[in-house]
Amino acid sequence: MADLAPSSDDDFPLSHRQVLTILTGLMMGMFLAALDQTIVATAIRTISDDLHGLSEQAWVTTAYLITSTIVTPLYGKLSDIYGRKKFFLTAISIFIAGSALCSFANSMLELAFFRAFQGLGAGGLFALALAIIGDIVPPRERARYQGYFLAVFGTSSVLGPVVGGFFAGQSSILGITGWRWVFLVNVPVGIVALGVVARTLHLHHHRLNHRIDWWGALALVIGFVPLLLVAEQGRDWGWASGRAITAYLIGAVGLLAFVLVERSLGDEALLPLKLFNNPTIRIASIVSVIVGMAMFGGISLLPLYMQIVKGSSPTEAGLQLLPLTLGIMSGSVIAGQLISRTGRYRRFIRTGGGLLTGALVLLYFLRYDTPYWELAVVCLVFGLGLGFMMQPLTLAVQNAADRRDMGVATSSATFTRQIGGTLGVAVFLSILFSTVPDKIAAAFKTIMPSAEFQAATKDPAVLADPANAAFLKQLAESRSGGQSSLSAGALSDSSFLNHIDPRLAKPFFVGYADSMDLVFICAAAVMAVGWAVIFLLPHVELRGGPARANPDELAPEPALPH
């Protein structure tokens, strides 16, 4: 096939058909990464229970996010130097291998390790796909074509929770434990994507002779990992313990070293600091970190609420997340179409920030007995907020960067969002599981004396069920009324809640719901800060020509007509 990409930085000669040909391969790769983000969400409770590590599930999520975050700017820099196709193919190949390894995990630690390897591939899929579109499509038309990516993202968001829930709900398929197919399903899809990308993606590339910033990558690892480690383990170590303080110091030294290395290398840096001299990129990056925290932190809790508190099966939880997906798709399509027509993106980021903050505040009022329709409405608003923000933030960064920095600029947008997401998952799940025992204990003290609970303990039908009998025996044997040992057990394997009488399980439902309320209000406070920062974001007109912008071109956005 003939090369399809432009050979000049000053024009975009590709036809709509040629762009769609390239998009076919890119969307296949993105489908992999997007599907994996959603397919695991509804299955993680089943996986954690089976591997006896519900409270350790943050490791599985953060390990994936850590590696994908760290390699994202590496993919951007390497693809700027050597070309995008070879690294896109490499990312898919690593992702396939990592998915296969995940299916063999026998402990949460093994699964976290394999997910970390999988993340080495995932880090390149989103960033490089968006960078390639940035190479071949003018800024103002980019919203139109990125809508195809968002359609893929939306499709995977619909399929992922349902398919993940279906697999997790099966005891075995073809002799393999059901949840392991959550990862195995990526293998055939990935092989097809690899073939499609290799066949359709042909781009001109003018090699740039730059060196690779390996020292910057190492410093980033040294700075980032200890801080995430203490975010996850702080509740067990003690936030002011010797180990925690050591992690703080190592992380601070690593981050300082990263800044110094990046400053000394200038244009050769993994993440050139000159990018952040541009006010659009600087503010958009800050907002992306905060949005990532709110997005990943919030989304990681919703499936847990539906399955643990509401008793939904994994498949049902996947279906119950459809309003969130509908919101993301609707917001993305509306924003993409209007941005393409008007060239205005800032108003959507502002609106999205307000919707996201409001949705998180509403989630704070979730109770164990909140009807589903109320949750569905909040999920729809949450999704609309994300849909209005995700695409315009990337567009803002791409539009403000020079064409020669398109790869590293796009990867910086993904990188900052992933940093926020990694921090959000680690911190918010740490808050959840550090407060759940006390919340359950408080619920036991309130609910155990109630007539409803006492009636359940004397009901012959309840006592005849072996699951209830075992629970009541453990309750009676506990020196602290059952809440201490049972609370600890609920943090490693919560599956017993599906089998005991709902009246006996009520203290656990209330405890988990109250802990989640605390997490949601913390996320709302973080997002409120991000919403305020959004109003500092300058506006740069999206033009039909190449993506060039500098601070001198910044202009205020005209007021909306009344």
Side-chain angles (χ1 to χ4, degrees):
M1 181 181 290
D3 286 341
L4 296 177
S7 58
S8 169
D9 282 347
D10 298 320
D11 60 337
F12 293 85
L14 296 183
S15 68
H16 178 63
R17 180 178 179 181
Q18 289 175 313
V19 172
L20 289 181
T21 302
I22 295 176
L23 275 179
T24 302
L26 301 182
M27 288 190 295
M28 290 291 291
M30 182 169 280
F31 180 77
L32 270 177
L35 183 69
D36 195 71
Q37 285 185 344
T38 56
I39 199 172
V40 176
T42 50
I44 191 63
R45 189 239 178 151
T46 301
I47 296 171
S48 302
D49 287 343
D50 190 52
L51 298 180
H52 305 291
L54 180 63
S55 64
E56 298 173 354
Q57 68 165 279
W59 283 112
V60 174
T61 305
T62 54
Y64 177 85
L65 290 173
I66 286 171
T67 53
S68 62
T69 299
I70 290 171
V71 300
T72 292
L74 268 177
Y75 276 112
K77 174 61 74 174
L78 290 170
S79 68
D80 278 343
I81 298 172
Y82 299 109
R84 314 241 190 260
K85 180 177 179 178
K86 62 184 70 175
F87 288 101
F88 198 66
L89 293 175
T90 299
I92 294 176
S93 301
I94 294 174
F95 189 87
I96 294 171
S99 299
L101 287 172
C102 287
S103 68
F104 291 101
N106 290 311
S107 69
M108 292 297 280
L109 183 61
E110 283 187 14
L111 182 58
F113 179 80
F114 294 144
R115 285 279 283 169
F117 182 78
Q118 188 186 33
L120 295 175
L125 295 180
F126 275 116
L128 291 181
L130 293 173
I132 291 168
I133 288 298
D135 287 336
I136 65 177
V137 178
R140 188 154 179 168
E141 290 297 311
R142 208 168 291 151
R144 171 190 180 191
Y145 288 104
Q146 284 181 347
Y148 292 99
F149 286 110
L150 293 165
V152 170
F153 182 83
T155 302
S156 67
S157 297
V158 172
L159 292 177
V162 178
V163 173
F166 169 77
F167 286 141
Q170 308 301 310
S171 58
S172 67
I173 301 174
L174 299 178
I176 300 174
T177 306
W179 66 258
R180 298 183 187 276
W181 286 94
V182 168
F183 303 103
L184 281 176
V185 73
N186 288 331
V187 176
V189 176
I191 291 173
V192 173
L194 197 63
V196 171
V197 171
R199 183 177 181 85
T200 63
L201 184 58
H202 297 278
L203 300 171
H204 283 303
H205 176 71
H206 301 289
R207 174 167 175 163
L208 304 174
N209 293 318
H210 294 299
R211 57 177 174 167
I212 308 302
D213 180 16
W214 299 113
W215 286 111
L218 178 61
L220 187 61
V221 172
I222 294 173
F224 201 41
V225 173
L227 297 179
L228 290 171
L229 185 65
V230 75
E232 167 59 23
Q233 292 295 305
R235 66 180 187 272
D236 296 324
W237 293 353
W239 299 105
S241 66
R243 282 186 288 183
I245 292 173
T246 301
Y248 298 144
L249 293 175
I250 294 174
V253 170
L255 292 178
L256 177 61
F258 177 72
V259 172
L260 294 176
V261 169
E262 301 306 277
R263 178 178 295 175
S264 66
L265 290 180
D267 290 341
E268 307 288 341
L270 180 68
L271 197 64
L273 297 184
K274 70 169 188 178
L275 285 175
F276 301 101
N277 292 331
N278 186 301
T280 299
I281 295 177
R282 183 170 63 250
I283 298 299
S285 298
I286 295 172
V287 173
S288 291
V289 170
I290 296 172
V291 169
M293 289 187 69
M295 177 176 70
F296 285 96
I299 289 178
S300 64
L301 291 183
L302 289 173
L304 289 180
Y305 173 82
M306 293 169 181
Q307 293 179 69
I308 295 178
V309 178
K310 305 300 287 184
S312 301
S313 70
T315 304
E316 290 170 342
L319 293 171
Q320 288 167 343
L321 283 174
L322 289 181
L324 175 66
T325 301
L326 177 63
I328 293 174
M329 293 179 66
S330 301
S332 299
V333 170
I334 293 171
Q337 291 295 321
L338 292 179
I339 290 171
S340 180
R341 295 175 186 173
T342 65
R344 304 286 177 191
Y345 58 81
R346 193 170 57 170
R347 62 191 64 171
F348 295 101
I349 300 175
R350 290 175 174 177
T351 303
L355 291 174
L356 203 52
T357 303
L360 288 167
V361 171
L362 291 175
L363 287 173
Y364 166 70
F365 294 99
L366 280 182
R367 297 294 180 264
Y368 81 97
D369 56 353
T370 297
Y372 171 69
W373 71 266
E374 292 184 15
L375 179 60
V377 172
V378 179
C379 285
L380 180 65
V381 176
F382 192 96
L384 281 172
L386 288 177
F388 280 154
M389 295 190 74
M390 290 169 61
Q391 179 185 359
L393 280 172
T394 301
L395 281 173
V397 171
Q398 288 182 330
N399 190 56
D402 288 332
R403 286 286 313 288
R404 60 189 175 86
D405 293 323
M406 185 62 67
V408 72
T410 305
S411 66
S412 75
T414 306
F415 173 73
T416 51
R417 185 168 61 246
Q418 292 286 88
I419 283 181
T422 307
L423 290 172
V425 170
V427 172
F428 293 146
L429 287 182
S430 182
I431 294 173
L432 173 68
F433 289 112
S434 63
T435 58
V436 157
D438 290 340
K439 296 291 186 180
I440 292 176
F444 262 107
K445 291 179 180 179
T446 302
I447 296 172
M448 278 186 67
S450 68
E452 181 185 45
F453 191 93
Q454 292 300 317
T457 64
K458 301 173 183 177
D459 189 335
V462 171
L463 297 175
D465 188 323
N468 292 325
F471 173 80
L472 290 172
K473 180 180 178 181
Q474 188 176 358
L475 183 65
E477 292 175 349
S478 174
R479 288 179 300 175
S480 55
Q483 58 265 35
S484 296
S485 60
L486 291 177
S487 296
L491 294 183
S492 61
D493 184 353
S494 64
S495 59
F496 74 92
L497 295 175
N498 297 332
H499 306 294
I500 64 176
D501 189 278
R503 291 170 293 179
L504 300 178
K506 184 176 177 180
F508 296 95
F509 300 153
V510 172
Y512 267 102
D514 289 348
S515 291
M516 290 180 184
D517 290 343
L518 175 62
V519 175
F520 284 129
I521 199 62
C522 291
V526 171
M527 191 59 226
V529 174
W531 191 24
V533 174
I534 287 171
F535 287 88
L536 302 177
L537 183 70
H539 177 77
V540 180
E541 185 73 22
L542 296 178
R543 298 171 300 279
R548 298 185 183 279
N550 57 63
D552 294 334
E553 296 174 315
L554 301 177
E557 184 175 9
L560 294 174
H562 294 287

